[in-house]
Amino acid sequence: MDEYYKIVAFILAGLLGVCVGTFLNVVIYRVPLGMSLAKPDSHCPNCKYKLKWSDNIPVLSYLFLGGKCHNCKQPISFRYPAVELFNMLAWLGSVWLFWDTSIPFTVITALASSLLICVFFIDLDHMLVFDRFVIMLLILGGFAVFFDPYYNWLSHVIGGVAGFAVFYGVHALFYYGFKKDALGGGDIKLSGAVGLLLGWERLLLAVVIASLSASVILLILNRKNADGQEPAIETADPAEGESLPGEYPFAPFLCSGFWIAMMFGAQIITWYISLFGI
């Protein structure tokens, strides 16, 4: 009977995950522009063509339309089906990893995955981390304190405090010591909220993953810039609306590290400790 419920949960997670992924695309596009999530109806940003229901089927519509608008034939970014697919896989992963140990934690990690996807792409496009996502992650962190099957409440509390304090300390050091902004306020608040969600052990792992991946990728980008090539990433200045070559958002790296640590952190940490025979 337990296996039956798990199979049903898999099916529902897959269907709901890909459908929620469609909504995430709306959130990622509209929230930074200050638009309502309800109105106007979904439309092509180029020709304003109002999408029919058949144009809005997750993943399948993109394939049937050949990756182009039904009306003006302008290319549709592959990001749209990618977000839908990744959210579906993230929700399926939550069921696979946590259903047998804690159903509430399964729901928490699925919802947190969706929020991290939003933060990832919005910061990538606009260098902004909106408080509404941080607050929702903070609420999920509060629930994780009671339902995490791997770490106790103290680990989560320490993670929340340390996530905020350490990142604020790094920001203060660079801001007051070197007159540079090493981290934005959104990154600091995001780290505190997710620290509460993960616990300090997984938070530490997440920061290591984020720092290493950022170091490698930014080193490559800076090397290309030094060779006279166009920067691979340009970010928008929210005040001026212009691209700022050479400035890179950090939240996408944080979100990637947070997600990996949330989903696989307990296993990675256990494996790493076992190398020392502990």
Side-chain angles (χ1 to χ4, degrees):
M1 184 62 70
D2 289 341
E3 285 300 314
Y4 168 79
Y5 286 123
K6 189 171 184 178
I7 292 172
V8 172
F10 263 117
I11 295 172
L12 289 177
L15 293 175
L16 289 175
V18 75
C19 291
V20 170
T22 301
F23 176 69
L24 297 186
N25 280 316
V26 176
V27 173
I28 292 167
Y29 178 77
R30 295 191 181 190
V31 166
L33 300 179
M35 298 173 61
S36 168
L37 297 180
K39 294 181 180 181
D41 294 333
S42 296
H43 59 277
C44 172
N46 182 63
C47 67
K48 310 305 179 184
Y49 165 73
K50 181 179 177 180
L51 301 185
K52 301 176 182 178
W53 70 268
S54 57
D55 300 323
N56 216 20
I57 303 173
V59 182
L60 295 180
S61 290
Y62 181 87
L63 297 176
F64 293 152
L65 293 171
K68 297 180 180 180
C69 172
H70 182 87
N71 183 58
C72 67
K73 306 304 180 184
Q74 285 294 312
I76 301 171
S77 173
F78 179 69
R79 176 189 293 186
Y80 291 101
V83 167
E84 293 166 349
L85 284 171
F86 187 79
N87 195 68
M88 179 188 72
L89 293 174
W91 282 38
L92 289 172
S94 292
V95 174
W96 175 264
L97 292 168
F98 306 116
W99 183 267
D100 293 331
T101 53
S102 175
I103 294 175
F105 197 68
T106 301
V107 177
I108 290 169
T109 56
L111 296 176
S113 296
S114 298
L115 292 171
L116 290 173
I117 289 173
C118 292
V119 174
F120 181 104
F121 285 107
I122 290 176
D123 194 59
L124 187 65
D125 290 338
H126 302 277
M127 288 189 72
L128 291 171
V129 178
F130 287 89
D131 286 345
R132 66 191 71 182
F133 300 116
V134 174
I135 291 171
M136 286 186 280
L137 285 166
L138 189 63
I139 293 172
L140 291 176
F143 284 109
V145 170
F146 301 100
F147 296 111
D148 186 351
Y150 299 108
Y151 297 103
N152 60 29
W153 66 270
L154 184 58
S155 171
H156 287 271
V157 172
I158 295 174
V161 174
F164 181 85
V166 172
F167 274 70
Y168 181 79
V170 172
H171 164 76
L173 175 64
F174 277 84
Y175 183 78
Y176 294 107
F178 303 99
K179 306 302 180 183
K180 294 182 179 180
D181 284 324
L183 292 169
D187 297 331
I188 297 169
K189 291 180 283 188
L190 177 66
S191 299
V194 179
L196 180 65
L197 174 65
L198 298 181
W200 72 265
E201 297 92 341
R202 284 177 297 201
L203 175 65
L204 178 59
L205 173 65
V207 172
V208 170
I209 293 172
S211 300
L212 289 176
S213 59
S215 298
V216 172
I217 292 175
L218 295 183
L219 180 63
I220 294 172
L221 293 177
N222 289 331
R223 179 67 61 85
K224 288 184 177 180
N225 293 343
D227 292 339
Q229 300 182 26
E230 290 294 325
I233 297 178
E234 291 187 351
T235 55
D237 181 352
E240 301 294 337
E242 299 177 353
S243 295
L244 298 173
E247 293 189 10
Y248 307 106
F250 189 48
F253 298 106
L254 285 175
C255 290
S256 300
F258 290 152
W259 187 81
I260 293 172
M262 179 177 69
M263 303 297 282
F264 309 105
Q267 293 85 350
I268 294 173
I269 293 169
T270 300
W271 167 80
Y272 183 75
I273 292 176
S274 69
L275 295 179
F276 301 92
I278 300 176

